[in-house]
Amino acid sequence: ALFLAGNAAFRHALRIGTQWHRLGAAAASVAASAVGITLSVAAEMVLLVVIVAVALALERRAAPATVEA
């Protein structure tokens, strides 16, 4: 969660794309810690991978198409 939040802040400071998807993923990652406490660490790791993958997919979908010259 801290990595995603820091990455979002870095992207915001450099004005690179949007940071909202990564901030949402950071919040979901904090919530995913409950899974690690109640179920297992392996389940939490799987959930974290899914959270990051979904955030990156949404970010990619929201990015404007670039045109190569």
Side-chain angles (χ1 to χ4, degrees):
L2 186 58
F3 171 77
L4 290 169
N7 189 274
F10 183 74
R11 292 172 63 85
H12 177 71
L14 293 180
R15 302 194 195 305
I16 302 173
T18 181
Q19 68 274 7
W20 299 112
H21 295 103
R22 293 180 193 225
L23 286 175
S29 297
V30 170
S33 65
V35 172
I37 293 170
T38 58
L39 293 177
S40 70
V41 175
E44 181 182 6
M45 293 300 293
V46 169
L47 185 57
L48 289 172
V49 168
V50 169
I51 289 169
V52 171
V54 168
L56 291 176
L58 289 173
E59 187 175 296
R60 184 172 177 91
R61 178 179 284 188
T66 57
V67 178
E68 294 184 26

mmCIF file of all heavy atoms in Angstrom, residues 4 18 20-26 28-29 45-63:
data_model
loop_
_atom_site.group_PDB
_atom_site.id
_atom_site.type_symbol
_atom_site.label_atom_id
_atom_site.label_comp_id
_atom_site.label_asym_id
_atom_site.label_seq_id
_atom_site.Cartn_x
_atom_site.Cartn_y
_atom_site.Cartn_z
ATOM 1 N N LEU A 4 2.357 1.839 -3.501
ATOM 2 C CA LEU A 4 1.388 2.387 -4.447
ATOM 3 C C LEU A 4 1.083 3.852 -4.157
ATOM 4 O O LEU A 4 0.966 4.661 -5.075
ATOM 5 C CB LEU A 4 0.108 1.558 -4.432
ATOM 6 C CG LEU A 4 0.235 0.160 -5.025
ATOM 7 C CD1 LEU A 4 -1.005 -0.656 -4.706
ATOM 8 C CD2 LEU A 4 0.463 0.227 -6.516
ATOM 9 N N THR A 18 -2.333 9.742 -14.628
ATOM 10 C CA THR A 18 -3.231 9.891 -13.492
ATOM 11 C C THR A 18 -2.748 9.064 -12.312
ATOM 12 O O THR A 18 -2.095 8.046 -12.493
ATOM 13 C CB THR A 18 -4.663 9.488 -13.875
ATOM 14 O OG1 THR A 18 -5.509 9.678 -12.747
ATOM 15 C CG2 THR A 18 -4.747 8.053 -14.321
ATOM 16 N N TRP A 20 -5.052 8.362 -9.692
ATOM 17 C CA TRP A 20 -6.244 7.915 -8.976
ATOM 18 C C TRP A 20 -6.369 6.405 -8.905
ATOM 19 O O TRP A 20 -6.802 5.865 -7.886
ATOM 20 C CB TRP A 20 -7.491 8.540 -9.580
ATOM 21 C CG TRP A 20 -7.444 10.026 -9.474
ATOM 22 C CD1 TRP A 20 -7.324 10.911 -10.498
ATOM 23 C CD2 TRP A 20 -7.442 10.804 -8.276
ATOM 24 N NE1 TRP A 20 -7.253 12.184 -10.008
ATOM 25 C CE2 TRP A 20 -7.332 12.149 -8.649
ATOM 26 C CE3 TRP A 20 -7.520 10.488 -6.922
ATOM 27 C CZ2 TRP A 20 -7.301 13.176 -7.716
ATOM 28 C CZ3 TRP A 20 -7.493 11.519 -5.998
ATOM 29 C CH2 TRP A 20 -7.392 12.841 -6.399
ATOM 30 N N HIS A 21 -5.996 5.701 -9.952
ATOM 31 C CA HIS A 21 -6.091 4.243 -9.933
ATOM 32 C C HIS A 21 -5.124 3.655 -8.907
ATOM 33 O O HIS A 21 -5.450 2.698 -8.202
ATOM 34 C CB HIS A 21 -5.810 3.668 -11.319
ATOM 35 C CG HIS A 21 -6.842 4.063 -12.321
ATOM 36 N ND1 HIS A 21 -6.609 5.045 -13.247
ATOM 37 C CD2 HIS A 21 -8.108 3.640 -12.520
ATOM 38 C CE1 HIS A 21 -7.694 5.207 -13.983
ATOM 39 N NE2 HIS A 21 -8.620 4.363 -13.565
ATOM 40 N N ARG A 22 -3.947 4.227 -8.810
ATOM 41 C CA ARG A 22 -2.961 3.710 -7.854
ATOM 42 C C ARG A 22 -3.336 4.060 -6.418
ATOM 43 O O ARG A 22 -3.078 3.275 -5.510
ATOM 44 C CB ARG A 22 -1.575 4.231 -8.206
ATOM 45 C CG ARG A 22 -1.145 3.622 -9.544
ATOM 46 C CD ARG A 22 0.210 4.071 -9.969
ATOM 47 N NE ARG A 22 0.403 3.701 -11.354
ATOM 48 C CZ ARG A 22 1.505 3.144 -11.806
ATOM 49 N NH1 ARG A 22 2.509 2.913 -11.016
ATOM 50 N NH2 ARG A 22 1.606 2.832 -13.077
ATOM 51 N N LEU A 23 -3.961 5.215 -6.224
ATOM 52 C CA LEU A 23 -4.429 5.543 -4.878
ATOM 53 C C LEU A 23 -5.560 4.612 -4.457
ATOM 54 O O LEU A 23 -5.633 4.185 -3.302
ATOM 55 C CB LEU A 23 -4.889 7.000 -4.814
ATOM 56 C CG LEU A 23 -3.781 8.043 -4.820
ATOM 57 C CD1 LEU A 23 -4.371 9.442 -4.883
ATOM 58 C CD2 LEU A 23 -2.896 7.894 -3.608
ATOM 59 N N GLY A 24 -6.429 4.284 -5.402
ATOM 60 C CA GLY A 24 -7.494 3.315 -5.110
ATOM 61 C C GLY A 24 -6.924 1.944 -4.793
ATOM 62 O O GLY A 24 -7.398 1.250 -3.880
ATOM 63 N N ALA A 25 -5.899 1.559 -5.532
ATOM 64 C CA ALA A 25 -5.249 0.274 -5.268
ATOM 65 C C ALA A 25 -4.553 0.282 -3.907
ATOM 66 O O ALA A 25 -4.540 -0.730 -3.212
ATOM 67 C CB ALA A 25 -4.246 -0.049 -6.377
ATOM 68 N N ALA A 26 -3.996 1.430 -3.520
ATOM 69 C CA ALA A 26 -3.355 1.530 -2.206
ATOM 70 C C ALA A 26 -4.392 1.356 -1.099
ATOM 71 O O ALA A 26 -4.146 0.644 -0.116
ATOM 72 C CB ALA A 26 -2.651 2.880 -2.065
ATOM 73 N N ALA A 28 -7.261 -0.250 -1.374
ATOM 74 C CA ALA A 28 -7.702 -1.647 -1.409
ATOM 75 C C ALA A 28 -6.642 -2.568 -0.796
ATOM 76 O O ALA A 28 -6.979 -3.572 -0.163
ATOM 77 C CB ALA A 28 -8.011 -2.069 -2.846
ATOM 78 N N SER A 29 -5.380 -2.205 -0.966
ATOM 79 C CA SER A 29 -4.303 -3.019 -0.390
ATOM 80 C C SER A 29 -4.325 -2.980 1.133
ATOM 81 O O SER A 29 -4.046 -3.990 1.788
ATOM 82 C CB SER A 29 -2.949 -2.535 -0.896
ATOM 83 O OG SER A 29 -2.859 -2.703 -2.283
ATOM 84 N N MET A 45 -1.579 -12.391 -0.567
ATOM 85 C CA MET A 45 -0.678 -12.143 -1.692
ATOM 86 C C MET A 45 -1.401 -12.257 -3.028
ATOM 87 O O MET A 45 -1.197 -11.437 -3.927
ATOM 88 C CB MET A 45 0.517 -13.110 -1.652
ATOM 89 C CG MET A 45 1.435 -12.887 -0.474
ATOM 90 S SD MET A 45 2.153 -11.250 -0.428
ATOM 91 C CE MET A 45 3.199 -11.307 -1.850
ATOM 92 N N VAL A 46 -2.258 -13.259 -3.154
ATOM 93 C CA VAL A 46 -3.039 -13.410 -4.386
ATOM 94 C C VAL A 46 -3.946 -12.198 -4.578
ATOM 95 O O VAL A 46 -4.052 -11.647 -5.681
ATOM 96 C CB VAL A 46 -3.854 -14.727 -4.360
ATOM 97 C CG1 VAL A 46 -4.867 -14.766 -5.481
ATOM 98 C CG2 VAL A 46 -2.920 -15.921 -4.418
ATOM 99 N N LEU A 47 -4.588 -11.769 -3.518
ATOM 100 C CA LEU A 47 -5.473 -10.610 -3.593
ATOM 101 C C LEU A 47 -4.699 -9.345 -3.960
ATOM 102 O O LEU A 47 -5.172 -8.529 -4.766
ATOM 103 C CB LEU A 47 -6.209 -10.426 -2.270
ATOM 104 C CG LEU A 47 -7.253 -9.323 -2.219
ATOM 105 C CD1 LEU A 47 -8.323 -9.522 -3.291
ATOM 106 C CD2 LEU A 47 -7.891 -9.278 -0.846
ATOM 107 N N LEU A 48 -3.503 -9.181 -3.435
ATOM 108 C CA LEU A 48 -2.686 -8.021 -3.772
ATOM 109 C C LEU A 48 -2.282 -8.024 -5.245
ATOM 110 O O LEU A 48 -2.280 -6.977 -5.899
ATOM 111 C CB LEU A 48 -1.454 -7.952 -2.879
ATOM 112 C CG LEU A 48 -1.716 -7.573 -1.428
ATOM 113 C CD1 LEU A 48 -0.443 -7.727 -0.605
ATOM 114 C CD2 LEU A 48 -2.259 -6.163 -1.323
ATOM 115 N N VAL A 49 -1.944 -9.193 -5.763
ATOM 116 C CA VAL A 49 -1.607 -9.295 -7.184
ATOM 117 C C VAL A 49 -2.808 -8.917 -8.040
ATOM 118 O O VAL A 49 -2.682 -8.184 -9.028
ATOM 119 C CB VAL A 49 -1.102 -10.718 -7.531
ATOM 120 C CG1 VAL A 49 -1.023 -10.928 -9.026
ATOM 121 C CG2 VAL A 49 0.251 -10.959 -6.884
ATOM 122 N N VAL A 50 -3.983 -9.375 -7.656
ATOM 123 C CA VAL A 50 -5.206 -9.043 -8.400
ATOM 124 C C VAL A 50 -5.476 -7.537 -8.328
ATOM 125 O O VAL A 50 -5.822 -6.914 -9.338
ATOM 126 C CB VAL A 50 -6.402 -9.865 -7.866
ATOM 127 C CG1 VAL A 50 -7.713 -9.358 -8.426
ATOM 128 C CG2 VAL A 50 -6.213 -11.327 -8.176
ATOM 129 N N ILE A 51 -5.310 -6.945 -7.154
ATOM 130 C CA ILE A 51 -5.551 -5.510 -6.997
ATOM 131 C C ILE A 51 -4.627 -4.696 -7.896
ATOM 132 O O ILE A 51 -5.068 -3.781 -8.598
ATOM 133 C CB ILE A 51 -5.386 -5.097 -5.514
ATOM 134 C CG1 ILE A 51 -6.540 -5.643 -4.687
ATOM 135 C CG2 ILE A 51 -5.284 -3.587 -5.371
ATOM 136 C CD1 ILE A 51 -6.343 -5.515 -3.187
ATOM 137 N N VAL A 52 -3.353 -5.022 -7.896
ATOM 138 C CA VAL A 52 -2.393 -4.281 -8.725
ATOM 139 C C VAL A 52 -2.671 -4.502 -10.205
ATOM 140 O O VAL A 52 -2.631 -3.557 -11.009
ATOM 141 C CB VAL A 52 -0.942 -4.662 -8.360
ATOM 142 C CG1 VAL A 52 0.045 -4.077 -9.344
ATOM 143 C CG2 VAL A 52 -0.623 -4.199 -6.952
ATOM 144 N N ALA A 53 -2.995 -5.731 -10.599
ATOM 145 C CA ALA A 53 -3.281 -6.017 -12.004
ATOM 146 C C ALA A 53 -4.512 -5.248 -12.482
ATOM 147 O O ALA A 53 -4.514 -4.685 -13.586
ATOM 148 C CB ALA A 53 -3.478 -7.515 -12.207
ATOM 149 N N VAL A 54 -5.544 -5.209 -11.665
ATOM 150 C CA VAL A 54 -6.755 -4.475 -12.046
ATOM 151 C C VAL A 54 -6.470 -2.982 -12.133
ATOM 152 O O VAL A 54 -6.922 -2.310 -13.071
ATOM 153 C CB VAL A 54 -7.902 -4.772 -11.051
ATOM 154 C CG1 VAL A 54 -9.061 -3.815 -11.233
ATOM 155 C CG2 VAL A 54 -8.376 -6.203 -11.201
ATOM 156 N N ALA A 55 -5.710 -2.453 -11.186
ATOM 157 C CA ALA A 55 -5.382 -1.026 -11.221
ATOM 158 C C ALA A 55 -4.584 -0.676 -12.473
ATOM 159 O O ALA A 55 -4.855 0.340 -13.129
ATOM 160 C CB ALA A 55 -4.597 -0.639 -9.971
ATOM 161 N N LEU A 56 -3.626 -1.504 -12.830
ATOM 162 C CA LEU A 56 -2.834 -1.242 -14.033
ATOM 163 C C LEU A 56 -3.668 -1.369 -15.300
ATOM 164 O O LEU A 56 -3.500 -0.596 -16.246
ATOM 165 C CB LEU A 56 -1.626 -2.173 -14.077
ATOM 166 C CG LEU A 56 -0.562 -1.910 -13.017
ATOM 167 C CD1 LEU A 56 0.540 -2.954 -13.111
ATOM 168 C CD2 LEU A 56 -0.004 -0.511 -13.133
ATOM 169 N N ALA A 57 -4.573 -2.338 -15.333
ATOM 170 C CA ALA A 57 -5.446 -2.495 -16.498
ATOM 171 C C ALA A 57 -6.379 -1.295 -16.644
ATOM 172 O O ALA A 57 -6.574 -0.784 -17.754
ATOM 173 C CB ALA A 57 -6.245 -3.787 -16.377
ATOM 174 N N LEU A 58 -6.947 -0.835 -15.543
ATOM 175 C CA LEU A 58 -7.816 0.344 -15.601
ATOM 176 C C LEU A 58 -7.041 1.589 -15.998
ATOM 177 O O LEU A 58 -7.529 2.425 -16.766
ATOM 178 C CB LEU A 58 -8.496 0.563 -14.244
ATOM 179 C CG LEU A 58 -9.563 -0.443 -13.852
ATOM 180 C CD1 LEU A 58 -10.027 -0.195 -12.428
ATOM 181 C CD2 LEU A 58 -10.737 -0.392 -14.814
ATOM 182 N N GLU A 59 -5.832 1.705 -15.493
ATOM 183 C CA GLU A 59 -4.996 2.852 -15.841
ATOM 184 C C GLU A 59 -4.645 2.836 -17.328
ATOM 185 O O GLU A 59 -4.652 3.870 -17.989
ATOM 186 C CB GLU A 59 -3.736 2.818 -14.994
ATOM 187 C CG GLU A 59 -2.861 4.026 -15.139
ATOM 188 C CD GLU A 59 -1.694 3.972 -14.188
ATOM 189 O OE1 GLU A 59 -1.935 4.001 -12.976
ATOM 190 O OE2 GLU A 59 -0.556 3.884 -14.671
ATOM 191 N N ARG A 60 -4.344 1.665 -17.831
ATOM 192 C CA ARG A 60 -4.010 1.547 -19.249
ATOM 193 C C ARG A 60 -5.210 1.874 -20.129
ATOM 194 O O ARG A 60 -5.083 2.511 -21.158
ATOM 195 C CB ARG A 60 -3.485 0.161 -19.558
ATOM 196 C CG ARG A 60 -3.026 -0.020 -20.979
ATOM 197 C CD ARG A 60 -2.331 -1.359 -21.145
ATOM 198 N NE ARG A 60 -1.950 -1.603 -22.494
ATOM 199 C CZ ARG A 60 -0.762 -1.267 -23.019
ATOM 200 N NH1 ARG A 60 0.112 -0.670 -22.247
ATOM 201 N NH2 ARG A 60 -0.480 -1.532 -24.251
ATOM 202 N N ARG A 61 -6.375 1.436 -19.698
ATOM 203 C CA ARG A 61 -7.598 1.703 -20.462
ATOM 204 C C ARG A 61 -7.929 3.196 -20.468
ATOM 205 O O ARG A 61 -8.415 3.723 -21.458
ATOM 206 C CB ARG A 61 -8.766 0.923 -19.884
ATOM 207 C CG ARG A 61 -10.071 1.195 -20.599
ATOM 208 C CD ARG A 61 -11.181 0.392 -20.022
ATOM 209 N NE ARG A 61 -11.059 -0.978 -20.485
ATOM 210 C CZ ARG A 61 -11.968 -1.889 -20.284
ATOM 211 N NH1 ARG A 61 -13.051 -1.594 -19.611
ATOM 212 N NH2 ARG A 61 -11.802 -3.109 -20.741
ATOM 213 N N ALA A 62 -7.647 3.875 -19.360
ATOM 214 C CA ALA A 62 -7.961 5.304 -19.243
ATOM 215 C C ALA A 62 -6.941 6.186 -19.934
ATOM 216 O O ALA A 62 -7.218 7.353 -20.196
ATOM 217 C CB ALA A 62 -8.054 5.681 -17.764
ATOM 218 N N ALA A 63 -5.760 5.643 -20.236
ATOM 219 C CA ALA A 63 -4.699 6.451 -20.870
ATOM 220 C C ALA A 63 -5.090 6.798 -22.301
ATOM 221 O O ALA A 63 -5.629 5.952 -23.022
ATOM 222 C CB ALA A 63 -3.381 5.685 -20.848
#
